[in-house]
Amino acid sequence: MQRRSLMTLGSSLALSARGARAQAAPLRCAVGPFQPTAGDTRRAYEPFFAHMAAAVGRLLELTVTTDWAGIAVALSTGQVDLAWMGPWGYVLARDRARAEALAIVKYQGKPTYHAIILARPDLAIARFPEDAKGLSISFADAGSTSGWLIPHYWFKTQGIDPRTYFKYRDGASHPANDIAVASGQVDLATDYDRNFAAMVAAGRVREDQARIVWRSEPLPNDALAIRAGLDAALAARLRDAALAIDEATAARVMPANYTGWVAAAPDSYAMIEAAGRTLGRIGGG
């Protein structure tokens, strides 16, 4: 009887030790290249992730990826628990690694945004894309919603292959695309409205150095996503912590103009998934 009690006590202590180690494990987070440099991105987004880690009693381990698809890979391999990612990157992660969106970010109170195409202001483009045929264009990397997926999808609906219709290149960051147009390195470039506004507000480009020649339908904003298999209780606490961020807290812990989060539903990113299937980038295309 005494030996059984000692064995039971030993098992309990082992379970407690494992629980303590799990509790002490850092919250592994990731964010994509939202800012011109990795250092800029870290400075802008680290306070939010520190807030989330503190809310669940964990230390923070933050990775800043150099491309959007990198987060999907990190989620699929279990290297990341929580990620702030663009809509298309999230859809890729959901398709390939069963990632789950907890929430959709609000920007100036809205959970939607628009993809845009910028042009040099001196170009005579009255009708787009007819007047832009043969011009140079820079797309963002293939993991970007507004910088790659949605423009490619829209051109396909118009019967246009941008790789042959324009002098095509891709793989740039959004800030680099803005700067390339503003400096005359390319004629056209993809971006999204809130990034262009942020670049102008920060003085990185002037509003008169580029003009918008195309704008998409409203798109769902960035996702706060978790990897498949994350502890359900931890996932619920992370969701609650994000949804509890009000405008005052957002002003303190989130990048400028982000005002909080709304809950994500299973169909929140259905239009992004449909575009990905049409282009054959995810299953069902």
Side-chain angles (χ1 to χ4, degrees):
M1 179 66 71
Q2 184 178 8
R3 179 170 180 172
R4 184 176 300 170
S5 297
L6 290 172
M7 291 175 64
T8 301
L9 177 60
S11 298
S12 298
L13 289 172
L15 288 171
S16 297
R18 283 198 294 272
R21 284 196 298 272
Q23 184 66 21
L27 183 69
R28 300 170 303 166
C29 301
V31 63
F34 284 106
Q35 300 288 326
T37 71
D40 292 336
T41 297
R42 182 175 295 277
R43 282 187 291 274
Y45 289 82
E46 191 166 37
F48 165 73
F49 286 107
H51 174 84
M52 295 295 291
V56 297
R58 301 286 185 98
L59 297 175
L60 172 62
E61 182 180 297
L62 178 60
T63 299
V64 178
T65 64
T66 56
D67 60 71
W68 300 101
I71 300 182
V73 173
L75 285 167
S76 69
T77 56
Q79 299 175 69
V80 165
D81 303 314
L82 180 73
W84 183 328
M85 56 199 317
W88 175 228
Y90 162 66
V91 168
L92 287 172
R94 177 178 175 177
D95 180 67
R96 299 172 184 177
R98 296 181 298 110
E100 177 188 349
L102 299 178
I104 302 169
V105 76
K106 293 189 292 184
Y107 187 86
Q108 295 181 346
K110 297 178 181 179
T112 59
Y113 74 114
H114 298 84
I116 59 175
I117 293 177
L118 298 170
R120 284 176 27 222
D122 59 309
L123 295 173
I125 301 176
R127 298 175 305 156
F128 186 83
E130 293 87 347
D131 295 340
K133 187 173 183 180
L135 297 179
S136 60
I137 189 168
S138 176
F139 281 71
D141 76 69
S144 170
T145 310
S146 58
W148 197 95
L149 178 76
I150 294 301
H152 271 270
Y153 172 69
W154 182 81
F155 281 122
K156 186 177 181 68
T157 67
Q158 306 303 302
I160 291 172
D161 180 354
R163 295 179 183 273
T164 57
Y165 194 84
F166 302 104
K167 296 172 184 174
Y168 178 97
R169 73 187 197 196
D170 64 15
S173 69
H174 287 277
N177 266 353
D178 289 2
I179 292 169
V181 169
S183 63
Q185 297 174 53
V186 295
D187 300 318
L188 306 160
T190 61
D191 194 18
Y192 56 106
D193 52 2
R194 66 175 193 260
N195 181 69
F196 182 56
M199 291 286 284
V200 170
R204 296 183 182 274
V205 297
R206 297 194 316 272
E207 196 166 9
D208 63 358
Q209 289 181 300
R211 68 185 180 98
I212 297 172
V213 293
W214 175 82
R215 186 186 302 268
S216 74
E217 296 296 316
L219 306 170
N221 271 343
D222 305 330
L224 185 65
I226 56 170
R227 64 173 173 81
L230 188 69
D231 177 72
L234 176 58
R237 291 169 65 197
L238 288 168
R239 180 187 291 108
D240 291 346
L243 298 181
I245 295 175
D246 56 18
E247 287 195 24
T249 305
R252 181 170 52 84
V253 305
M254 296 178 73
N257 294 306
Y258 288 102
T259 52
W261 301 82
V262 297
D267 62 350
S268 292
Y269 293 91
M271 64 186 299
I272 309 299
E273 291 181 14
R277 290 193 186 96
T278 298
L279 293 175
R281 305 289 292 190
I282 58 174

